[in-house]
Amino acid sequence: MIPVGSKALSLDEVYRILFGQETLELEEAALQQVQENFSFLQKFSAKKLIYGINTGFGPMAQYRIPEADTLQLQYNLIRSHSSGAGKCMPPLLTKGLMIARLSSFMQAHSGVHPDVVKLLRDLINKNVYPCVFEHGGVGASGDLVQLAHLALVLIGEGEVWYEDKIQPTAEVFARLSLQPMKVHIREGLAVINGTSAMTGVGLVNLIEAKKLLGWSCILSAMINEIVEAFDDHLSYELNVVKKHEGQNRVAAVMRDVLKDSKMVRHRPDHLYKELEEEIFKDKVQEYYSLRCVPQILGPVYDTLVHAEKVVVHELNSVSDNPVVDHHHQNVFHGGNFHGDYISLEMDKLKIAITKLSMLSERQLNYLLNEKLNHKFPPFMNLGKLGFNFGMQGVQFTATSTVAENQTLSFPMYVHSIPNNNDNQDIVSMGCNAALMANKVIENTFEVLAIQVMTMLQAVDYLNCQDRLSSFSQRIYREVRAIFPKFIEDSPRYKDLQKIKEYLVQQVPVSV
């Protein structure tokens, strides 16, 4: 059980809620603060002009709302902004969204009734996920449209994902004896005003991106092993003279993967001696996609470290407007719902993961092109050349998918479009950035799966299983259990999906 309230949530705790089936519990002291914050706002807001309580919203804030209509105002806001389009976000991303919104409320600066946080907790713990659409939010007053669909479910309307299908919220609530949220003061505005959609997706992105980085380190080590590369480009001595943490961490992980390999070569044993040849058959240095891995994946590591810091800070922040401060007995109007922090980090993350996919594609191409590797048959074809095709067809998928990643990597952060009658004159597009990053991550698992398929075929071509490091042997055995060696041509798309699922589910190394 993960306590929420008195201390900051970590990415590891979010991982355990998302993937480990851990439940959430609201800490009593923090819940009491939520109650005190609500009670303060209830008294403070009487006969005062406060945005979103007795005014219209956005550019219509100049219109005063009669007291008799203030509660209906919140319902109008929720229903009018439940205007998303496109696909419903996958339940995993929606669960991240709900965790982020709950965490913001538990900071006790939104003036919501405690029943709101209790209902959010129950929905998360019971695996009831609002149907939140991908399209709609611009990330300035936060993720208004996405979070409106959360609010719609909280008031008992709309649809939810439950038991692997979309169902009417009212039916699921009745079955689970859940009571819809009632508006007391500003619950409608509080739920939809914030960065919780982009933050929730960002949390999932970070977890999955770290898996990809781990796999890329492993596969980059294994390709160096398979082609019997020299080991000095991974050495401590070479990398330590560069001061970047990521480069040194990646090199260390790769050395650990290869520590008992019988295939990687020590340069002094082969080249640091008197040689008579004028032209060497061996490459004196490997291609960059093999030799420069620490320098290529190092920046990916450093990007993910910084992104985690920013996204986790946002997770544990008050993401709302106005901010209700019962400690200082005031309500502060400002821009704590603006999503630029997340938008920029998601753009950087997707650029970094796209580069990771590009590295994978180049390593794949090296294995498939006999004119480069001088070691393997064209397209890793273990059958009859010309008659069989090996990995030729699958390479197209990798190339196409990496190209899509490159196009998706155009930054949303610099693509503001003023809207809302120019009230929101500069926006973050943060949820778009997070969802595009999520697509890049999903694509990259597919590219790495194709690389894995090819590398295992290479191992079988060389019949070098017993010379691999013990780590590489374990990966070889586990993947071969779901993807047997092949010679004859047959459809590979199901194999690709199996290996992709294996990569997503396994966490073989922590980078």
Side-chain angles (χ1 to χ4, degrees):
M1 187 174 290
I2 305 293
V4 180
S6 65
K7 69 178 184 65
L9 283 169
S10 68
L11 187 62
D12 177 66
E13 287 172 321
V14 173
Y15 173 84
R16 285 155 53 195
I17 298 166
L18 288 172
F19 297 97
Q21 303 303 313
E22 292 240 24
T23 57
L24 285 168
E25 190 46 73
L26 308 179
E27 293 187 283
E28 280 301 323
L31 200 56
Q32 182 59 37
Q33 286 296 304
V34 172
Q35 175 65 60
E36 291 182 18
N37 188 253
F38 168 78
S39 299
F40 160 74
L41 182 63
Q42 199 171 37
K43 295 176 183 176
F44 184 84
S45 59
K47 298 182 180 180
K48 292 184 179 69
L49 185 69
I50 299 177
Y51 173 77
I53 292 178
N54 49 16
T55 74
F57 300 104
M60 291 190 288
Q62 306 308 116
Y63 294 90
R64 190 183 190 102
I65 306 301
E67 185 176 350
D69 294 334
T70 55
L71 298 187
Q72 185 60 44
L73 173 72
Q74 302 293 317
Y75 289 103
N76 290 351
L77 177 68
I78 293 169
R79 290 167 180 148
S80 67
H81 282 59
S82 294
S83 55
K87 298 178 181 177
C88 281
M89 286 165 47
L92 183 66
L93 301 186
T94 306
K95 190 173 186 179
L97 174 158
M98 296 165 75
I99 294 168
R101 201 76 205 118
L102 176 62
S103 178
S104 178
F105 286 157
M106 290 301 288
Q107 310 304 312
H109 280 80
S110 289
V112 298
H113 192 279
D115 286 349
V116 178
V117 295
K118 292 175 182 177
L119 179 56
L120 260 175
R121 173 203 61 194
D122 291 343
L123 293 178
I124 294 168
N125 288 345
K126 294 177 185 294
N127 300 311
V128 179
Y129 308 121
C131 185
V132 175
F133 293 91
E134 291 182 344
H135 295 161
V138 299
S141 288
D143 304 308
L144 287 175
V145 170
Q146 280 90 1
L147 293 179
H149 284 278
L150 168 64
L152 192 67
V153 166
L154 291 177
I155 63 173
E157 301 176 16
E159 292 81 35
V160 295
W161 282 98
Y162 183 63
E163 295 180 339
D164 297 322
K165 59 183 178 181
I166 295 178
Q167 305 180 53
T169 301
E171 293 180 10
V172 175
F173 273 30
R175 201 182 321 161
L176 298 176
S177 300
L178 294 170
Q179 295 300 314
M181 172 185 83
K182 292 182 179 179
V183 170
H184 296 269
I185 307 175
R186 66 177 298 268
E187 280 78 7
L189 182 62
V191 174
I192 79 169
N193 242 5
T195 62
S196 299
M198 65 180 84
T199 301
V201 176
L203 291 164
V204 176
N205 288 347
L206 279 167
I207 291 167
E208 301 297 334
K210 290 171 79 170
K211 291 181 188 176
L212 283 171
L213 178 57
W215 274 117
S216 190
C217 288
I218 292 166
L219 300 182
S220 295
M222 289 179 68
I223 190 174
N224 273 280
E225 182 177 28
I226 291 167
V227 304
E228 299 182 90
F230 293 111
D231 62 2
D232 48 345
H233 60 268
L234 299 178
S235 66
Y236 171 83
E237 292 79 5
L238 178 128
N239 287 283
V240 76
V241 297
K242 267 287 189 77
K243 302 304 179 185
H244 301 298
E245 180 184 353
Q247 175 177 335
N248 282 276
R249 179 63 185 150
V250 168
V253 169
M254 293 177 68
R255 288 196 303 272
D256 193 54
V257 170
L258 299 175
K259 61 186 176 185
D260 57 353
S261 173
K262 301 177 180 66
M263 296 190 73
V264 288
R265 295 186 293 169
H266 191 49
R267 188 177 296 272
D269 296 340
H270 298 271
L271 298 182
Y272 287 179
K273 56 186 178 181
E274 190 171 339
L275 300 171
E276 296 180 357
E277 299 97 323
E278 292 297 324
I279 300 176
F280 305 111
K281 292 181 180 179
D282 263 340
K283 282 188 69 67
V284 176
Q285 298 188 105
E286 290 77 17
Y287 284 100
Y288 284 26
S289 60
L290 278 68
R291 177 170 27 125
C292 300
V293 173
Q295 293 82 2
I296 295 168
L297 293 183
V300 178
Y301 173 92
D302 291 332
T303 299
L304 296 185
V305 168
H306 188 262
E308 179 176 344
K309 178 181 177 182
V310 172
V311 175
V312 171
H313 277 334
E314 189 73 19
L315 168 69
N316 292 292
S317 295
V318 177
S319 176
D320 203 346
N321 182 62
V323 168
V324 180
D325 189 342
H326 61 286
H327 302 289
H328 294 94
Q329 301 285 293
N330 208 344
V331 174
F332 298 95
H333 294 68
N336 273 7
F337 48 29
H338 204 281
D340 264 19
Y341 268 109
I342 301 298
S343 181
L344 179 56
E345 293 310 312
M346 289 300 101
D347 279 349
K348 288 157 61 179
L349 183 147
K350 73 180 178 183
I351 290 169
I353 296 302
T354 291
K355 190 60 177 282
L356 185 153
S357 73
M358 292 164 61
L359 175 66
S360 175
E361 187 276 333
R362 287 293 82 197
Q363 292 173 347
L364 171 67
N365 183 71
Y366 178 80
L367 290 174
L368 297 180
N369 190 337
E370 80 285 1
K371 298 179 184 67
L372 296 179
N373 61 62
H374 303 292
K375 195 178 188 78
F376 302 107
F379 302 109
M380 207 59 69
N381 185 351
L382 305 189
K384 183 178 179 180
L385 296 182
F387 179 70
N388 296 117
F389 293 94
M391 298 295 295
Q392 182 175 341
V394 187
Q395 184 184 19
F396 291 123
T397 301
T399 304
S400 169
T401 306
V402 171
E404 182 178 58
N405 280 358
Q406 291 170 323
T407 298
L408 287 171
S409 290
F410 180 88
M412 292 299 301
Y413 178 71
V414 295
H415 201 70
S416 173
I417 300 178
N419 71 123
N420 194 228
N421 282 7
D422 279 345
N423 173 54
Q424 297 182 13
D425 58 343
I426 185 164
V427 303
S428 75
M429 299 295 181
C431 197
N432 285 1
L435 289 168
M436 290 169 70
N438 186 261
K439 178 61 174 174
V440 167
I441 288 167
E442 181 182 352
N443 285 351
T444 303
F445 274 111
E446 294 174 2
V447 177
L448 264 61
I450 294 168
Q451 183 180 3
V452 170
M453 295 169 72
T454 306
M455 290 175 62
L456 265 59
Q457 291 292 102
V459 170
D460 281 311
Y461 175 78
L462 297 174
N463 195 26
C464 63
Q465 294 90 329
D466 59 345
R467 298 175 61 213
L468 297 174
S469 73
S470 55
F471 193 107
S472 300
Q473 287 180 25
R474 177 167 68 87
I475 301 301
Y476 174 86
R477 289 193 303 269
E478 289 179 359
V479 179
R480 274 296 185 229
I482 58 173
F483 169 58
K485 171 186 173 181
F486 75 92
I487 296 174
E488 301 302 326
D489 296 320
S490 62
R492 302 264 73 93
Y493 65 96
K494 291 184 179 179
D495 293 322
L496 172 55
Q497 185 60 36
K498 286 179 184 177
I499 298 173
K500 178 185 175 183
E501 291 171 0
Y502 166 84
L503 296 178
V504 170
Q505 292 166 4
Q506 302 296 317
V507 189
V509 66
S510 176
V511 183

Coordinates of all heavy atoms in Angstrom, one line a residue, residues 421-489:
N421 N -10.2 32.9 -27.4 CA -10.3 34.3 -27.7 C -9.1 35.1 -27.3 O -9.1 36.2 -26.8 CB -11.6 34.9 -27.0 CG -12.8 34.6 -27.7 OD1 -12.9 33.8 -28.7 ND2 -14.0 35.1 -27.3
D422 N -7.9 34.4 -27.5 CA -6.6 35.0 -27.2 C -6.4 35.2 -25.8 O -5.3 35.7 -25.4 CB -6.4 36.3 -28.0 CG -5.9 36.0 -29.4 OD1 -5.6 34.9 -29.8 OD2 -6.0 37.0 -30.2
N423 N -7.3 34.7 -24.9 CA -7.0 34.7 -23.5 C -5.7 33.8 -23.2 O -4.8 34.2 -22.5 CB -8.2 34.1 -22.7 CG -7.9 34.0 -21.2 OD1 -7.4 34.9 -20.5 ND2 -8.1 32.8 -20.7
Q424 N -5.8 32.6 -23.8 CA -4.6 31.7 -23.7 C -3.7 32.0 -24.9 O -3.8 31.4 -26.0 CB -5.0 30.2 -23.7 CG -5.9 29.9 -22.5 CD -6.3 28.4 -22.5 OE1 -5.7 27.6 -23.3 NE2 -7.2 28.0 -21.6
D425 N -2.9 33.1 -24.8 CA -2.2 33.5 -26.0 C -0.8 32.8 -26.2 O -0.2 33.0 -27.3 CB -2.0 35.1 -25.9 CG -1.2 35.5 -24.7 OD1 -1.1 34.7 -23.7 OD2 -0.7 36.6 -24.6
I426 N -0.4 32.1 -25.2 CA 0.8 31.2 -25.4 C 0.6 29.9 -24.6 O 0.3 30.0 -23.4 CB 2.1 31.9 -25.1 CG1 3.3 31.0 -25.4 CG2 2.1 32.4 -23.6 CD1 4.6 31.7 -25.4
V427 N 0.6 28.8 -25.3 CA 0.2 27.5 -24.7 C 1.4 26.5 -24.8 O 2.3 26.7 -25.6 CB -1.1 27.0 -25.3 CG1 -2.2 28.0 -25.2 CG2 -0.9 26.6 -26.8
S428 N 1.3 25.4 -24.0 CA 2.4 24.5 -24.0 C 2.3 23.3 -24.9 O 3.2 22.7 -25.3 CB 2.5 23.9 -22.5 OG 1.4 23.0 -22.3
M429 N 1.0 22.9 -25.3 CA 0.8 21.7 -26.0 C 1.4 20.5 -25.3 O 1.8 19.5 -26.0 CB 1.3 21.8 -27.5 CG 0.7 22.9 -28.3 SD -1.1 22.6 -28.6 CE -1.5 24.1 -29.6
G430 N 1.4 20.5 -24.0 CA 2.1 19.5 -23.2 C 1.5 18.1 -23.4 O 2.3 17.1 -23.4
C431 N 0.2 18.0 -23.4 CA -0.4 16.6 -23.5 C -0.1 16.0 -24.9 O 0.2 14.8 -25.0 CB -1.9 16.6 -23.2 SG -2.5 15.0 -22.9
N432 N -0.1 16.9 -25.9 CA 0.3 16.4 -27.3 C 1.7 15.9 -27.2 O 2.0 14.9 -27.8 CB 0.1 17.6 -28.3 CG -1.3 17.8 -28.7 OD1 -2.2 17.2 -28.1 ND2 -1.5 18.8 -29.6
A433 N 2.6 16.7 -26.6 CA 4.0 16.3 -26.5 C 4.2 15.0 -25.8 O 4.9 14.1 -26.3 CB 4.8 17.4 -25.8
A434 N 3.4 14.8 -24.7 CA 3.6 13.6 -24.0 C 3.0 12.4 -24.8 O 3.6 11.3 -24.8 CB 2.8 13.7 -22.6
L435 N 1.9 12.6 -25.4 CA 1.3 11.5 -26.2 C 2.2 11.1 -27.4 O 2.3 9.9 -27.8 CB -0.1 11.8 -26.6 CG -1.1 11.8 -25.5 CD1 -2.4 12.5 -26.0 CD2 -1.4 10.4 -25.0
M436 N 2.8 12.1 -28.1 CA 3.7 11.8 -29.2 C 4.9 11.1 -28.7 O 5.4 10.2 -29.4 CB 4.0 13.1 -29.9 CG 2.8 13.7 -30.7 SD 3.1 15.4 -31.2 CE 4.4 15.1 -32.5
A437 N 5.4 11.5 -27.5 CA 6.6 10.8 -27.0 C 6.2 9.4 -26.7 O 7.0 8.4 -26.9 CB 7.0 11.5 -25.7
N438 N 5.0 9.1 -26.2 CA 4.5 7.8 -25.9 C 4.5 6.9 -27.2 O 4.8 5.7 -27.2 CB 3.1 7.8 -25.3 CG 2.6 6.5 -24.8 OD1 1.9 5.8 -25.5 ND2 3.1 6.0 -23.7
K439 N 4.1 7.5 -28.3 CA 4.1 6.9 -29.6 C 5.5 6.5 -30.1 O 5.7 5.4 -30.6 CB 3.3 7.7 -30.6 CG 3.3 7.1 -32.1 CD 2.5 5.8 -32.1 CE 2.4 5.3 -33.5 NZ 1.8 3.9 -33.5
V440 N 6.4 7.5 -29.9 CA 7.8 7.2 -30.2 C 8.3 6.0 -29.4 O 9.1 5.2 -29.9 CB 8.6 8.5 -30.0 CG1 10.1 8.2 -30.0 CG2 8.3 9.5 -31.1
I441 N 8.0 6.0 -28.2 CA 8.5 4.9 -27.3 C 7.9 3.6 -27.8 O 8.6 2.6 -27.9 CB 8.0 5.2 -25.8 CG1 8.9 6.3 -25.3 CG2 8.2 3.9 -25.0 CD1 8.4 6.9 -24.0
E442 N 6.6 3.5 -28.1 CA 6.0 2.3 -28.6 C 6.7 1.9 -29.9 O 7.0 0.7 -30.1 CB 4.5 2.5 -28.8 CG 3.8 1.3 -29.3 CD 2.3 1.5 -29.5 OE1 1.8 2.6 -29.2 OE2 1.7 0.6 -30.1
N443 N 6.9 2.8 -30.8 CA 7.5 2.5 -32.0 C 8.9 1.9 -31.8 O 9.4 0.9 -32.5 CB 7.7 3.7 -32.9 CG 6.4 4.2 -33.5 OD1 5.4 3.5 -33.5 ND2 6.4 5.4 -34.1
T444 N 9.6 2.4 -30.8 CA 11.0 2.0 -30.6 C 11.1 0.6 -30.0 O 12.1 -0.1 -30.4 CB 11.7 3.1 -29.7 OG1 11.6 4.4 -30.3 CG2 13.2 2.7 -29.5
F445 N 10.1 0.2 -29.3 CA 10.1 -1.2 -28.8 C 10.0 -2.1 -30.1 O 10.6 -3.2 -30.1 CB 8.9 -1.5 -27.9 CG 9.2 -1.2 -26.4 CD1 8.6 -0.1 -25.8 CD2 10.1 -1.9 -25.7 CE1 8.9 0.2 -24.5 CE2 10.4 -1.7 -24.4 CZ 9.8 -0.6 -23.8
E446 N 9.3 -1.7 -31.1 CA 9.2 -2.5 -32.3 C 10.5 -2.6 -33.0 O 10.9 -3.7 -33.5 CB 8.1 -1.9 -33.2 CG 6.7 -2.0 -32.6 CD 5.7 -1.3 -33.5 OE1 6.0 -0.7 -34.5 OE2 4.5 -1.3 -33.1
V447 N 11.2 -1.5 -33.1 CA 12.5 -1.5 -33.8 C 13.5 -2.3 -33.0 O 14.2 -3.1 -33.7 CB 13.1 0.0 -33.9 CG1 14.4 0.0 -34.5 CG2 12.1 0.9 -34.7
L448 N 13.5 -2.2 -31.7 CA 14.5 -3.1 -31.0 C 14.1 -4.6 -31.1 O 15.0 -5.4 -31.0 CB 14.5 -2.6 -29.5 CG 15.6 -1.7 -29.1 CD1 15.5 -0.4 -29.9 CD2 15.6 -1.4 -27.6
A449 N 12.8 -4.9 -31.2 CA 12.4 -6.3 -31.3 C 13.0 -6.8 -32.6 O 13.4 -8.0 -32.7 CB 10.9 -6.4 -31.3
I450 N 13.0 -6.0 -33.7 CA 13.6 -6.5 -35.0 C 15.1 -6.7 -34.8 O 15.6 -7.6 -35.4 CB 13.2 -5.5 -36.1 CG1 11.7 -5.5 -36.3 CG2 14.0 -5.8 -37.4 CD1 11.2 -4.4 -37.2
Q451 N 15.7 -5.8 -34.1 CA 17.1 -5.9 -33.9 C 17.4 -7.2 -33.1 O 18.4 -8.0 -33.4 CB 17.7 -4.7 -33.1 CG 19.2 -4.8 -32.9 CD 19.7 -3.6 -32.1 OE1 18.9 -2.7 -31.6 NE2 21.0 -3.5 -31.9
V452 N 16.6 -7.5 -32.1 CA 16.8 -8.8 -31.3 C 16.7 -10.0 -32.2 O 17.5 -10.9 -32.2 CB 15.8 -8.9 -30.2 CG1 15.8 -10.2 -29.5 CG2 16.1 -7.8 -29.1
M453 N 15.6 -10.0 -33.1 CA 15.4 -11.1 -34.0 C 16.7 -11.4 -34.8 O 17.2 -12.5 -35.0 CB 14.2 -10.8 -34.9 CG 12.9 -10.8 -34.2 SD 11.6 -10.1 -35.3 CE 11.4 -11.5 -36.4
T454 N 17.2 -10.3 -35.4 CA 18.4 -10.4 -36.2 C 19.6 -10.9 -35.5 O 20.4 -11.7 -36.0 CB 18.7 -9.0 -36.9 OG1 17.5 -8.5 -37.5 CG2 19.8 -9.1 -37.9
M455 N 19.8 -10.4 -34.3 CA 21.0 -10.7 -33.5 C 21.0 -12.2 -33.2 O 22.0 -12.9 -33.2 CB 21.1 -9.8 -32.3 CG 21.5 -8.4 -32.6 SD 21.5 -7.3 -31.2 CE 22.8 -8.0 -30.2
L456 N 19.8 -12.7 -32.8 CA 19.8 -14.2 -32.5 C 20.0 -15.0 -33.7 O 20.7 -16.1 -33.6 CB 18.4 -14.5 -31.9 CG 18.4 -14.5 -30.4 CD1 18.8 -13.1 -29.8 CD2 17.0 -14.9 -29.8
Q457 N 19.6 -14.6 -34.9 CA 19.9 -15.3 -36.1 C 21.4 -15.3 -36.4 O 22.0 -16.3 -36.8 CB 19.1 -14.7 -37.3 CG 17.6 -14.9 -37.3 CD 17.2 -16.4 -37.5 OE1 16.9 -17.1 -36.5 NE2 17.3 -16.8 -38.7
A458 N 22.0 -14.1 -36.0 CA 23.5 -14.0 -36.2 C 24.2 -15.0 -35.3 O 25.2 -15.6 -35.7 CB 23.9 -12.6 -35.9
V459 N 23.8 -15.1 -34.1 CA 24.4 -16.0 -33.1 C 24.3 -17.5 -33.7 O 25.3 -18.2 -33.6 CB 23.7 -15.9 -31.7 CG1 24.2 -17.1 -30.8 CG2 24.0 -14.6 -31.1
D460 N 23.1 -17.8 -34.2 CA 23.0 -19.2 -34.7 C 23.8 -19.4 -36.0 O 24.3 -20.5 -36.2 CB 21.5 -19.5 -35.0 CG 20.8 -19.8 -33.7 OD1 21.2 -20.7 -33.0 OD2 19.7 -19.2 -33.5
Y461 N 24.0 -18.4 -36.8 CA 24.8 -18.5 -38.0 C 26.3 -18.8 -37.6 O 26.9 -19.6 -38.2 CB 24.7 -17.2 -38.8 CG 25.7 -17.2 -40.0 CD1 25.4 -17.9 -41.2 CD2 26.9 -16.5 -40.0 CE1 26.2 -17.9 -42.3 CE2 27.8 -16.5 -41.0 CZ 27.4 -17.3 -42.2 OH 28.3 -17.3 -43.2
L462 N 26.7 -18.1 -36.5 CA 28.1 -18.3 -36.1 C 28.3 -19.5 -35.2 O 29.4 -19.9 -34.9 CB 28.6 -17.0 -35.3 CG 28.7 -15.7 -36.1 CD1 29.0 -14.6 -35.1 CD2 29.7 -15.8 -37.2
N463 N 27.1 -20.0 -34.7 CA 27.1 -21.1 -33.7 C 28.1 -20.8 -32.5 O 28.9 -21.6 -32.1 CB 27.6 -22.4 -34.4 CG 27.3 -23.6 -33.6 OD1 26.3 -23.6 -32.7 ND2 28.1 -24.7 -33.7
C464 N 27.9 -19.6 -32.0 CA 28.8 -19.1 -31.0 C 28.1 -19.0 -29.6 O 28.7 -18.3 -28.7 CB 29.3 -17.7 -31.4 SG 28.1 -16.4 -31.5
Q465 N 27.0 -19.7 -29.4 CA 26.3 -19.5 -28.1 C 27.2 -19.7 -26.9 O 27.1 -19.0 -25.9 CB 25.1 -20.5 -28.1 CG 24.1 -20.3 -29.1 CD 24.3 -21.0 -30.4 OE1 25.5 -21.2 -30.8 NE2 23.2 -21.4 -31.1
D466 N 28.1 -20.7 -27.0 CA 28.9 -21.0 -25.8 C 30.0 -20.0 -25.6 O 30.7 -20.0 -24.5 CB 29.5 -22.4 -25.9 CG 30.3 -22.6 -27.1 OD1 30.3 -21.8 -28.0 OD2 31.0 -23.6 -27.1
R467 N 30.2 -19.1 -26.5 CA 31.3 -18.1 -26.4 C 30.7 -16.7 -25.9 O 31.5 -15.8 -25.6 CB 32.0 -17.9 -27.7 CG 32.8 -19.2 -28.1 CD 33.4 -19.0 -29.5 NE 34.4 -17.9 -29.5 CZ 34.6 -17.1 -30.5 NH1 33.9 -17.2 -31.6 NH2 35.5 -16.1 -30.4
L468 N 29.4 -16.6 -25.9 CA 28.8 -15.4 -25.4 C 29.0 -15.3 -23.9 O 29.2 -16.2 -23.2 CB 27.3 -15.4 -25.7 CG 26.8 -15.5 -27.2 CD1 25.3 -15.7 -27.2 CD2 27.2 -14.2 -27.9
S469 N 28.8 -14.0 -23.5 CA 28.8 -13.8 -22.0 C 27.6 -14.5 -21.4 O 26.6 -14.8 -22.1 CB 28.8 -12.3 -21.7 OG 27.5 -11.8 -22.0
S470 N 27.7 -14.8 -20.1 CA 26.6 -15.4 -19.4 C 25.3 -14.6 -19.5 O 24.2 -15.1 -19.6 CB 26.9 -15.7 -18.0 OG 27.3 -14.5 -17.3
F471 N 25.5 -13.3 -19.5 CA 24.3 -12.4 -19.6 C 23.7 -12.5 -21.0 O 22.5 -12.7 -21.1 CB 24.7 -10.9 -19.4 CG 23.6 -10.0 -19.2 CD1 23.3 -9.4 -17.9 CD2 22.8 -9.6 -20.3 CE1 22.2 -8.6 -17.7 CE2 21.7 -8.7 -20.1 CZ 21.5 -8.2 -18.8
S472 N 24.5 -12.5 -22.0 CA 24.0 -12.6 -23.4 C 23.4 -14.0 -23.6 O 22.4 -14.1 -24.3 CB 25.1 -12.4 -24.4 OG 25.7 -11.1 -24.3
Q473 N 24.0 -15.0 -23.0 CA 23.4 -16.4 -23.2 C 22.0 -16.4 -22.6 O 21.1 -17.1 -23.1 CB 24.3 -17.4 -22.5 CG 25.6 -17.7 -23.2 CD 26.4 -18.7 -22.5 OE1 25.9 -19.5 -21.7 NE2 27.7 -18.7 -22.7
R474 N 21.8 -15.7 -21.4 CA 20.5 -15.7 -20.8 C 19.4 -15.1 -21.7 O 18.3 -15.6 -21.9 CB 20.5 -15.0 -19.5 CG 19.1 -14.9 -18.8 CD 19.2 -14.5 -17.4 NE 19.7 -13.1 -17.2 CZ 18.9 -12.0 -17.2 NH1 17.6 -12.2 -17.3 NH2 19.4 -10.8 -17.0
I475 N 19.8 -13.9 -22.3 CA 18.9 -13.2 -23.3 C 18.6 -14.2 -24.4 O 17.4 -14.3 -24.9 CB 19.5 -11.9 -23.7 CG1 19.8 -11.0 -22.5 CG2 18.6 -11.2 -24.7 CD1 18.6 -10.6 -21.7
Y476 N 19.6 -14.8 -25.0 CA 19.5 -15.7 -26.1 C 18.5 -16.8 -25.8 O 17.6 -17.1 -26.6 CB 20.8 -16.3 -26.5 CG 20.8 -17.4 -27.6 CD1 20.8 -17.0 -28.9 CD2 20.6 -18.7 -27.2 CE1 20.7 -18.0 -29.9 CE2 20.5 -19.7 -28.2 CZ 20.5 -19.3 -29.5 OH 20.4 -20.3 -30.5
R477 N 18.6 -17.4 -24.6 CA 17.7 -18.6 -24.3 C 16.3 -18.1 -24.1 O 15.4 -18.7 -24.5 CB 18.2 -19.2 -23.0 CG 19.5 -20.0 -23.1 CD 19.8 -20.9 -21.9 NE 19.8 -20.1 -20.7 CZ 20.9 -19.6 -20.2 NH1 22.1 -19.8 -20.8 NH2 20.9 -18.9 -19.0
E478 N 16.1 -17.0 -23.4 CA 14.8 -16.5 -23.1 C 14.0 -16.1 -24.4 O 12.9 -16.4 -24.5 CB 14.9 -15.3 -22.2 CG 15.3 -15.7 -20.7 CD 15.4 -14.5 -19.8 OE1 15.1 -13.3 -20.3 OE2 15.7 -14.7 -18.6
V479 N 14.7 -15.4 -25.3 CA 14.1 -15.0 -26.5 C 13.8 -16.2 -27.5 O 12.8 -16.4 -28.1 CB 14.8 -13.9 -27.3 CG1 14.1 -13.5 -28.5 CG2 15.0 -12.7 -26.3
R480 N 14.8 -17.1 -27.5 CA 14.7 -18.3 -28.4 C 13.5 -19.2 -27.9 O 12.9 -19.9 -28.7 CB 16.0 -19.1 -28.4 CG 17.0 -18.7 -29.5 CD 16.4 -18.8 -30.9 NE 17.3 -18.5 -31.9 CZ 17.0 -17.7 -33.0 NH1 15.8 -17.2 -33.0 NH2 17.9 -17.5 -34.0
A481 N 13.1 -19.1 -26.7 CA 12.0 -19.8 -26.1 C 10.7 -19.4 -26.8 O 9.7 -20.2 -26.9 CB 11.9 -19.7 -24.6
I482 N 10.6 -18.1 -27.2 CA 9.4 -17.6 -27.9 C 9.6 -17.4 -29.4 O 8.6 -17.1 -30.1 CB 8.9 -16.3 -27.2 CG1 10.0 -15.2 -27.2 CG2 8.5 -16.6 -25.8 CD1 9.5 -13.9 -26.7
F483 N 10.9 -17.4 -29.8 CA 11.2 -17.1 -31.2 C 12.3 -18.1 -31.7 O 13.5 -17.8 -31.6 CB 11.6 -15.7 -31.4 CG 12.3 -15.4 -32.7 CD1 11.5 -15.5 -33.9 CD2 13.6 -14.9 -32.8 CE1 12.1 -15.2 -35.1 CE2 14.1 -14.6 -34.0 CZ 13.4 -14.7 -35.2
P484 N 11.9 -19.3 -32.2 CA 12.9 -20.3 -32.6 C 13.6 -19.8 -33.8 O 13.2 -19.0 -34.6 CB 12.0 -21.5 -32.9 CG 10.7 -21.3 -32.3 CD 10.5 -19.8 -32.3
K485 N 14.8 -20.4 -34.0 CA 15.6 -20.1 -35.2 C 14.8 -20.5 -36.4 O 14.1 -21.5 -36.4 CB 16.9 -21.0 -35.1 CG 17.7 -21.0 -36.4 CD 18.9 -22.0 -36.2 CE 19.6 -22.2 -37.5 NZ 20.7 -23.2 -37.4
F486 N 15.0 -19.7 -37.5 CA 14.2 -20.0 -38.7 C 15.2 -19.9 -39.9 O 16.2 -19.2 -39.9 CB 13.1 -19.1 -38.9 CG 13.4 -17.7 -39.4 CD1 13.5 -17.4 -40.7 CD2 13.7 -16.7 -38.5 CE1 13.8 -16.1 -41.2 CE2 14.0 -15.4 -38.9 CZ 14.1 -15.1 -40.2
I487 N 14.9 -20.8 -40.9 CA 15.6 -20.8 -42.2 C 14.6 -20.5 -43.3 O 14.9 -19.6 -44.1 CB 16.3 -22.1 -42.4 CG1 17.4 -22.3 -41.3 CG2 16.9 -22.2 -43.8 CD1 18.1 -23.7 -41.3
E488 N 13.5 -21.3 -43.3 CA 12.5 -21.1 -44.4 C 11.7 -19.8 -44.1 O 11.5 -19.4 -43.0 CB 11.6 -22.3 -44.4 CG 12.3 -23.6 -44.7 CD 13.1 -23.6 -46.0 OE1 12.6 -23.0 -46.9 OE2 14.2 -24.2 -46.0
D489 N 11.2 -19.2 -45.2 CA 10.5 -18.0 -45.1 C 9.1 -18.3 -44.6 O 8.4 -19.2 -45.0 CB 10.3 -17.3 -46.5 CG 11.7 -16.9 -47.0 OD1 12.5 -16.4 -46.2 OD2 11.9 -17.1 -48.2

